[in-house]
Amino acid sequence: MKTKSVFTKLKILVISLGMMFLANGAMAADQWTNWFTITQLEAEQGTNAAIWFGIYADTIDTSQGCSTNDKYLFPSFNESSATGNHSSKEQLYKLATLAYTGGWQVRLYLSNCINNRPAAYRIQIKK
C-alpha cells in the first residue's frame, strides 16, 4: 500500500476545505473581499484567555463601515474551551497561516465589525 506524501495530503485538505466554503451559497457575493496576499499575521491574548487573530493586507476592505481599518479580525476563542465552534475557528487560523507562509492569495467573508475592525468569518485560499 502506497502512502501519500505530506504535500499531497495537504493539497487534498486545502481542496476539500475550499469546496466546503464554496458550497455555502447563502452568503452574499458583495460581502467577500477581493483576492489579496496577506502581509502579516497577528495573534494576541485578550481578556479571559480569549485569542484574537488579525490579518494584515496592503488594502483593507472598508465596506463594513468599521472605524478602524488597519487589519481584519477573526472572532476570538478561548483556547481552553472544547465547546462551541472552537475547532472551526482554529481551522480559519490554520488556513490563513498556510496561505501566508505559502504566499497564496486569500479572500475573506466579512460581516460587521469586531473591536471596530472588519470581522472575517470565512476564508478561501488559492495558489
Side-chain angles (χ1 to χ4, degrees):
M1 177 179 226
K2 292 184 178 180
T3 59
K4 294 181 181 178
S5 71
V6 173
F7 180 73
T8 302
K9 290 179 183 178
L10 182 60
K11 192 171 17 174
I12 291 170
L13 173 66
V14 169
I15 291 170
S16 299
L17 288 171
M19 294 300 288
M20 180 180 72
F21 289 124
L22 287 174
N24 190 347
M27 293 182 240
D30 63 347
Q31 291 186 322
W32 282 98
T33 65
N34 291 324
W35 291 98
F36 66 91
T37 303
I38 298 171
T39 59
Q40 181 181 340
L41 293 176
E42 171 185 67
E44 66 180 69
Q45 188 81 32
T47 58
N48 300 327
I51 297 174
W52 295 96
F53 195 77
I55 292 182
Y56 291 84
D58 288 333
T59 304
I60 303 294
D61 185 311
T62 59
S63 64
Q64 299 302 309
C66 306
S67 60
T68 306
N69 289 301
D70 59 344
K71 62 185 168 187
Y72 299 103
L73 282 181
F74 281 124
S76 68
F77 72 91
N78 187 322
E79 64 183 330
S80 63
S81 174
T83 61
N85 58 0
H86 173 84
S87 63
S88 64
K89 289 179 183 177
E90 274 190 337
Q91 295 306 315
L92 292 174
Y93 305 158
K94 288 178 183 178
L95 284 173
T97 302
L98 173 67
Y100 175 66
T101 57
W104 297 356
Q105 289 194 318
V106 302
R107 71 179 188 160
L108 304 173
Y109 179 75
L110 305 179
S111 180
N112 300 313
C113 304
I114 298 175
N115 294 342
N116 300 318
R117 292 175 173 87
Y121 289 91
R122 303 270 189 278
I123 185 171
Q124 292 179 335
I125 63 176
K126 72 176 180 177
K127 198 169 184 180

